Structures are given as structure tokens and as C-alpha cells.
Amino acid sequence: MSSPIKPPGVITCKAAVAWGPGEPLVLEEVEVDPPKPMEIRVKVVCTSLCRSDVTQWESKAQPALFPRIFGHEASGIVESVGEGVSEFEVGDHVLTVFIGECKSCKHCLSGKSNMCQTLGLERRGLMHSDNKTRFSIKGRPVYHYCAVSSFSEYTVVHSGCAVKISQTAPMDRICLLSCGVAAGLGAAWKVADISKGSTVVIFGLGTVGLSVAQGAKLRGASRIIGVDTNPQKYEIGKAFGVTEYINPDECNEPVQQVIKRMTDGGADFSFECVGDTGIVSTALQSCCDGWGLTVTLGVPKMRPEVSAHYALLLSGRTLKGSLFGGWKPKSDLPQLAEKYLKEEIQLDDLVTHDLPFNNINEALNLMKEGKCLRCVIHLPK
């Protein structure tokens, strides 16, 4: 007679904990609870650092949700599953995602949206299911980030916020698809639906902006103009399809005027990938009358309000927002992973640094100083 399966217990492991805004992360021993119903506990293998992690960690404007474990762009292996989970088994390779897909709410069923009403963006540092945390230090609760918290050797996520991937996919590169790269490709393909021969302008040539460029190139855009204050980004951008480069610091007139002159009245598509609401208006002014479309993807560091002259919209321009490129994570991410495995999209050249978990603060500093695209953090095996 086989003995009954022992339910998973609390795991003690290392996590990089933020104790206050902008304070260096501290590697602490944390307790990670077992997964509750419809949750899975994941051994994090690799987590890449995303700009929004840094923005939220530094921000004093947000609610003081500390201590907190950041990180959301990650790959890992399922360590245990909670009651009711049938989609995952122990040992499955997964990507974590910061917005889930319940497949039953109004938005998931609509075919028009990826804004799941049940597993949408979590801003309070808690789990979707019971508004509690799964992390603690000596009994003190530790807040989550985006219901993922991948700066930890183990984490618990809702099963709707994880996507099963092929075990042949390299964990240290495929993790980029769980946020930034997917967001950029989706903005180009799904949200803007860039057509062949289009002119495209991209504000900000970080990982997201370069992924927009890659998406535009694959769609056959005729001109892809990159706008960035770092001239090194042009050489990097060429590999992803950027055909021309503008440094706003070197312009003696507003950059939108330069773009309108270059493109005979404005680009067909413009993308704001900086996280600056002031640039949203600049991007809108940079696209053409009649059909010009501006897509905003960046998470603003300050001033969340967008302002634009009404005449820009009256003349036929459109402004659209994009979260995670419009992708439904469970429905769409496996296809993107397949494209990477078939070498139809590139991720490898976006990784500028591979660092051990102990060096996570170095990764934060590289991102703050603009000296990296993606830093991949490798957790202990």
C-alpha cells in the first residue's frame, strides 16, 4: 500500500528583500508558504531585471509597501501545486507573468482584451486569491510585486499567472518573454498592427523599444527611426532594424519637427517606450494627420497625467495604451516561445549581463545608470 502524498510545507530560502524605497536589496532568509488552492510554488531559475522593477523600488510616490520582494520577468520549475491545479505538474518549466488569464471573465472571453478582471495587474503587494502574502521573515509579512516576486529562490504564483514552456527552451533567455520583449513585439504586431512599407518612430531604445523595432522590421516597415539620448543605442538598434537615429540633445529644434520634416508630415506609427508622459505628447505630434497612431508602453516615473492639444486628435491621430503588448499570456506566449526556438525572433542580443543572485544590486545599478539592456540574474541551482 502506497503511503499518502505528503502536502508541501513551508520552504526557507534566500530572497533579495527591499526594506525601503531605493535602499540596496538585502539577501534575507525568508519563509515561503505552500501554494494555496489554484496556486503553484516555483523554484526560480533565472529572473531578468525590468525597468519597472527599478521604477517601483525607487519610487517614494507609491504606497510604502515594504519590506517587499521585487522581480517579475522570470523562468522557473514547478516545485509543488495547490489544490485544484490540473494544468501544471511538479517539474514543469514555466514563465511567470504579471497579468494572468482566467479564461472565464468578460475580458478573457471578449477576444478584444488581455485585461483579465480576475488576475489583472496587482498593485497592493498581495496575492489575488486571498489578499495575503506568501512570504514572511520571522513572522513578519513581506509584500509581493505584481503577484510574482521572482527575486527569491522560491515564489508562489496563481496558476493563471504562469505559462508552461518547452523544456528545451534556455531558461536564461526565454525569461525575457515574460515582460519586456513580449510587450514590444505585441505593441508592434497586435496593438499597432504595423503594415508593410510603414514609417515608424520609436522613443527610447531600451529592451522594449528595440523589441518594437524588431517587430516593425519583421512586418516590413520601410523606415524605423530610433530616438534616444544615448548615441550607443544606434549601433545596437541597427541589429534590431533601426534605420535612422535622432539624439534629441543634438537637435536645435523640437524633435517632432525634425521627424515631421524627415517623414513628409509625420510617421505612420510612433511608440513611446521611455516611461515619460511628456514624451507621449511629443510622439503624438510626430505621427501624421489622418491615420497616425501613437502607442504608449512606458511606465511613468512621475507625472502620470498625459496632456495633448485636442487638435492632434481632431486631425485624425489616435493614441492607444498597451499593457504586455495586448497578449493574453496563456493563449499567446507559447507561440512567441516557439518563434524564439525557431530563431524567428531574437532575445540573446538583448542580454548584456549575466550575473549571480548575490550581485543583484549591481544589476540594479547598471539599469539605473543606463549601462545595460537586460541583466539576467541566475539563482543558485
Side-chain angles (χ1 to χ4, degrees), residues 111-114 182-194 219 293 295 320 322 324-328 331-332 335:
K112 302 173 184 176
S113 164
N114 66 346
L185 290 171
W189 291 343
K190 207 170 174 71
V191 181
D193 193 15
I194 289 173
R219 275 290 177 92
L293 171 63
V295 180
K320 290 183 85 170
S322 173
F324 196 51
W327 302 118
K328 291 175 181 288
S331 301
D332 297 326
Q335 297 162 42

Side-chain angles (χ1 to χ4, degrees), residues 27-91:
L27 285 182
E28 303 275 14
E29 292 273 334
V30 299
E31 290 85 44
V32 186
D33 288 343
K36 298 274 175 75
M38 298 311 296
E39 294 176 352
I40 59 174
R41 188 161 59 189
V42 176
K43 176 172 174 47
V44 180
V45 175
C46 289
T47 180
S48 39
L49 185 61
C50 176
R51 168 63 67 180
S52 56
D53 290 309
V54 178
T55 299
Q56 293 293 319
W57 162 65
E58 288 187 311
S59 175
K60 295 180 173 66
Q62 305 293 329
L65 301 177
F66 294 99
R68 195 173 195 183
I69 298 170
F70 287 98
H72 63 282
E73 206 177 78
S75 57
I77 300 170
V78 176
E79 175 272 336
S80 55
V81 300
E83 187 186 330
V85 175
S86 58
E87 184 187 351
F88 298 102
E89 295 178 354
V90 172

